[in-house]
Short mmCIF file of all heavy atoms in Angstrom, two decimals:
data_model
loop_
_atom_site.label_atom_id
_atom_site.label_comp_id
_atom_site.label_asym_id
_atom_site.label_seq_id
_atom_site.Cartn_x
_atom_site.Cartn_y
_atom_site.Cartn_z
N CYS I 238 96.34 182.67 221.93
CA CYS I 238 95.01 183.04 222.44
C CYS I 238 94.10 181.83 222.50
O CYS I 238 93.42 181.60 223.51
CB CYS I 238 94.42 184.13 221.56
SG CYS I 238 92.80 184.72 222.09
N PHE I 239 94.08 181.03 221.45
CA PHE I 239 93.24 179.84 221.43
C PHE I 239 93.81 178.73 222.31
O PHE I 239 93.08 177.85 222.75
CB PHE I 239 93.04 179.36 220.00
CG PHE I 239 92.14 180.26 219.22
CD1 PHE I 239 92.66 181.13 218.28
CD2 PHE I 239 90.77 180.28 219.45
CE1 PHE I 239 91.84 181.98 217.57
CE2 PHE I 239 89.94 181.12 218.74
CZ PHE I 239 90.47 181.97 217.80
N GLN I 240 95.11 178.79 222.57
CA GLN I 240 95.67 177.87 223.56
C GLN I 240 95.10 178.16 224.94
O GLN I 240 94.79 177.24 225.71
CB GLN I 240 97.19 178.01 223.58
CG GLN I 240 97.90 177.14 224.60
CD GLN I 240 97.90 175.68 224.22
OE1 GLN I 240 98.01 175.36 223.04
NE2 GLN I 240 97.79 174.80 225.19
N GLY I 241 94.94 179.44 225.27
CA GLY I 241 94.30 179.80 226.53
C GLY I 241 92.86 179.34 226.59
O GLY I 241 92.39 178.89 227.65
N TYR I 242 92.16 179.44 225.46
CA TYR I 242 90.78 178.93 225.41
C TYR I 242 90.76 177.43 225.67
O TYR I 242 89.94 176.92 226.43
CB TYR I 242 90.18 179.26 224.04
CG TYR I 242 88.68 179.10 223.97
CD1 TYR I 242 87.85 180.20 224.03
CD2 TYR I 242 88.11 177.85 223.83
CE1 TYR I 242 86.47 180.06 223.96
CE2 TYR I 242 86.73 177.69 223.75
CZ TYR I 242 85.92 178.80 223.82
OH TYR I 242 84.55 178.65 223.75
N ARG I 243 91.65 176.70 225.04
CA ARG I 243 91.67 175.25 225.18
C ARG I 243 92.03 174.83 226.61
O ARG I 243 91.41 173.93 227.18
CB ARG I 243 92.68 174.65 224.21
CG ARG I 243 92.71 173.14 224.23
CD ARG I 243 93.77 172.58 223.30
NE ARG I 243 95.11 172.85 223.81
CZ ARG I 243 96.22 172.33 223.28
NH1 ARG I 243 96.13 171.54 222.22
NH2 ARG I 243 97.40 172.60 223.78
N ASP I 244 93.02 175.51 227.21
CA ASP I 244 93.40 175.16 228.58
C ASP I 244 92.29 175.48 229.57
O ASP I 244 92.13 174.79 230.58
CB ASP I 244 94.69 175.90 228.96
CG ASP I 244 95.88 175.44 228.14
OD1 ASP I 244 95.87 174.29 227.66
OD2 ASP I 244 96.82 176.25 227.96
N ALA I 245 91.53 176.54 229.30
CA ALA I 245 90.39 176.84 230.16
C ALA I 245 89.32 175.77 230.05
O ALA I 245 88.67 175.40 231.04
CB ALA I 245 89.82 178.22 229.81
N VAL I 246 89.10 175.24 228.84
CA VAL I 246 88.16 174.13 228.68
C VAL I 246 88.62 172.91 229.46
O VAL I 246 87.82 172.23 230.11
CB VAL I 246 87.99 173.79 227.18
CG1 VAL I 246 87.19 172.52 227.01
CG2 VAL I 246 87.30 174.94 226.46
N ARG I 247 89.90 172.64 229.41
CA ARG I 247 90.44 171.51 230.17
C ARG I 247 90.19 171.70 231.67
O ARG I 247 89.81 170.75 232.37
CB ARG I 247 91.93 171.36 229.91
CG ARG I 247 92.56 170.22 230.72
CD ARG I 247 94.06 170.21 230.65
NE ARG I 247 94.53 169.89 229.31
CZ ARG I 247 95.13 170.75 228.50
NH1 ARG I 247 95.32 171.99 228.91
NH2 ARG I 247 95.54 170.37 227.32
N PHE I 248 90.40 172.94 232.16
CA PHE I 248 90.17 173.21 233.58
C PHE I 248 88.71 172.97 233.94
O PHE I 248 88.39 172.39 234.99
CB PHE I 248 90.58 174.65 233.89
CG PHE I 248 90.14 175.13 235.24
CD1 PHE I 248 90.81 174.75 236.38
CD2 PHE I 248 89.04 175.97 235.38
CE1 PHE I 248 90.41 175.19 237.63
CE2 PHE I 248 88.63 176.41 236.61
CZ PHE I 248 89.31 176.03 237.74
N LEU I 249 87.78 173.41 233.08
CA LEU I 249 86.36 173.21 233.36
C LEU I 249 86.01 171.73 233.34
O LEU I 249 85.19 171.27 234.15
CB LEU I 249 85.52 173.96 232.33
CG LEU I 249 85.67 175.50 232.32
CD1 LEU I 249 84.82 176.10 231.22
CD2 LEU I 249 85.30 176.09 233.68
N GLU I 250 86.58 170.98 232.43
CA GLU I 250 86.30 169.54 232.37
C GLU I 250 86.84 168.83 233.60
O GLU I 250 86.18 167.96 234.19
CB GLU I 250 86.90 168.95 231.11
CG GLU I 250 86.16 169.32 229.84
CD GLU I 250 86.69 168.55 228.64
OE1 GLU I 250 87.76 167.94 228.75
OE2 GLU I 250 86.02 168.56 227.60
N GLU I 251 88.05 169.17 234.01
CA GLU I 251 88.66 168.49 235.16
C GLU I 251 87.90 168.76 236.45
O GLU I 251 87.89 167.92 237.36
CB GLU I 251 90.12 168.93 235.30
CG GLU I 251 91.02 168.43 234.18
CD GLU I 251 92.43 168.96 234.32
OE1 GLU I 251 92.64 169.86 235.18
OE2 GLU I 251 93.33 168.50 233.60
N ASN I 252 87.28 169.93 236.55
CA ASN I 252 86.54 170.28 237.77
C ASN I 252 85.04 170.08 237.63
O ASN I 252 84.29 170.44 238.54
CB ASN I 252 86.83 171.74 238.14
CG ASN I 252 88.24 171.96 238.61
OD1 ASN I 252 88.56 171.85 239.80
ND2 ASN I 252 89.14 172.28 237.68
N GLY I 253 84.59 169.53 236.51
CA GLY I 253 83.17 169.28 236.33
C GLY I 253 82.33 170.53 236.23
O GLY I 253 81.19 170.56 236.70
#
Side-chain angles (χ1 to χ4, degrees):
C238 181
F239 288 104
Q240 178 72 36
Y242 194 101
R243 184 183 70 171
D244 294 334
V246 171
R247 178 190 293 111
F248 169 78
L249 297 178
E250 287 188 347
E251 291 176 350
N252 291 271

